[in-house]
Amino acid sequence: MKRIVVVIAVLAFSAGAVVAQQDQVKRTQAMMKDNGKNAGALSAMVKGDKPYDQSTVNAALAQFEDTAKSLPTLFPESMKGIKLEGDYDPSPKIWEDKAGFESQIKSFAKVVADAKGKVKNLDTLKAELPVIGKQCGACHETYRIKKG
Ligand code: HEC
């Protein structure tokens, strides 16, 4: 009897771990999708498709900052080799070259913190957005895989 209880407990625990993993994957992907939306909103202003709006800028930069803070825990070891729904997968290099990945996170955090103090109008946005975009791209180039 005791044994059965233990087996059930173990099963329940591993099912819980799978759910936690799926939640984590969803959180990570949702966060990156929000980054994409915010970067799109900023680039619409730069292109002149939308008027400059400080509160949109502030919200986007706050979300990038939040991403920079979360990135160190967004890709736990348990996600290695995972396939996501959608066009992109995380590259195994995230876990194989941890130091490189962490240095990308640091560079990203730095340019975001920098931009936060600087972007006050369209001109400064035009100057800062490419700097941020370059860091998004630098990380994606090595640590994100575009499917098929
Ligand atoms: C330190 C690395 C890193 C940085 C910095 C980074 N990303 Fe990503 N991004 C990834 C990885 C890894 C993936 C693939 C996993 C995924 O899709 O969740 C990804 C996926 C994405 C996706 C695809 C989401 C999906 O699955 O549909 C978008 C859009 C995106 N990133 C936008 C951005 C933008 C915009 C920035 C900058 C403001 C940024 N990312 C900064 C690593 C990074």
Side-chain angles (χ1 to χ4, degrees):
M1 188 59 200
K2 213 171 176 184
R3 222 176 137 162
I4 291 171
V5 172
V6 170
V7 169
I8 290 171
V10 167
L11 283 177
F13 177 77
S14 52
V18 169
V19 171
Q21 152 117 338
Q22 282 165 351
D23 285 353
Q24 172 63 52
V25 169
K26 279 204 192 111
R27 245 197 324 269
T28 299
Q29 214 174 6
M31 195 150 218
M32 279 301 162
K33 285 190 172 158
D34 280 349
N35 283 335
K37 264 185 229 147
N38 281 315
L42 298 183
S43 112
M45 291 180 211
V46 166
K47 285 190 205 140
D49 295 343
K50 286 264 163 67
Y52 183 82
D53 175 44
Q54 189 70 45
S55 67
T56 305
V57 169
N58 293 347
L61 292 177
Q63 200 262 332
F64 294 162
E65 194 175 42
D66 198 29
T67 302
K69 280 197 195 120
S70 306
L71 268 164
T73 55
L74 280 183
F75 297 96
E77 198 82 36
S78 59
M79 267 176 77
K80 189 174 180 180
I82 203 143
K83 300 280 174 238
L84 300 179
E85 273 170 47
D87 297 335
Y88 302 98
D89 282 328
S91 162
K93 287 190 188 133
I94 290 176
W95 302 277
E96 285 157 10
D97 176 18
K98 259 201 158 109
F101 187 63
E102 277 159 17
S103 95
Q104 288 292 346
I105 297 172
K106 273 208 189 105
S107 311
F108 177 63
K110 191 168 177 300
V111 298
V112 170
D114 213 40
K116 255 190 104 175
K118 282 192 191 154
V119 182
K120 306 238 181 296
N121 52 37
L122 187 57
D123 282 343
T124 42
L125 179 64
K126 277 185 179 163
E128 292 301 315
L129 186 60
V131 181
I132 296 175
K134 210 174 133 198
Q135 287 303 322
C136 310
C139 185
H140 293 158
E141 193 177 296
T142 310
Y143 300 100
R144 183 176 79 168
I145 296 173
K146 173 122 177 70
K147 291 187 225 177

